[in-house]
Amino acid sequence: DETVASVFRPPASPTGEEVVEFSLHGSPAVVRAALEALYAAGFLPALPGEFSFRAFLAGKGDLVRAEAVDELVRAGSERARAAA
């Protein structure tokens, strides 16, 4: 299979830190194998809200923006998404 890795360097990255984003085919087996390889290499999954928190700490957004992202992520319906 093929995977594309996009590297974002500071300070231009979304969090102000070095970030690598992986794009791969979405089959559960492919995703599971990719995650297992990353975890074996020492990578950890991001916690809920971690990217917004890191961006906030780096001055890439304010608390209002972080809260808006949180509302959007937690929206369980189209109405809640629109309100967020």
Side-chain angles (χ1 to χ4, degrees):
D1 200 11
E2 296 177 355
T3 299
V4 175
S6 301
V7 178
F8 300 90
R9 304 261 185 221
S13 75
T15 63
E17 304 168 309
E18 188 166 63
V19 175
V20 179
E21 183 177 292
F22 295 96
S23 300
L24 49 108
H25 296 107
S27 108
V30 171
V31 172
R32 188 171 32 258
L35 288 174
E36 287 174 3
L38 291 169
Y39 297 154
F43 288 81
L44 299 172
L47 299 172
E50 184 171 354
F51 290 113
S52 295
F53 179 69
R54 288 175 180 256
F56 172 74
L57 290 179
K60 297 278 187 170
D62 58 20
L63 190 55
V64 172
R65 181 182 173 100
E67 288 175 342
V69 169
D70 181 59
E71 269 188 55
L72 186 59
V73 169
R74 294 177 190 276
S77 68
E78 178 58 28
R79 185 174 182 195
R81 185 209 57 81

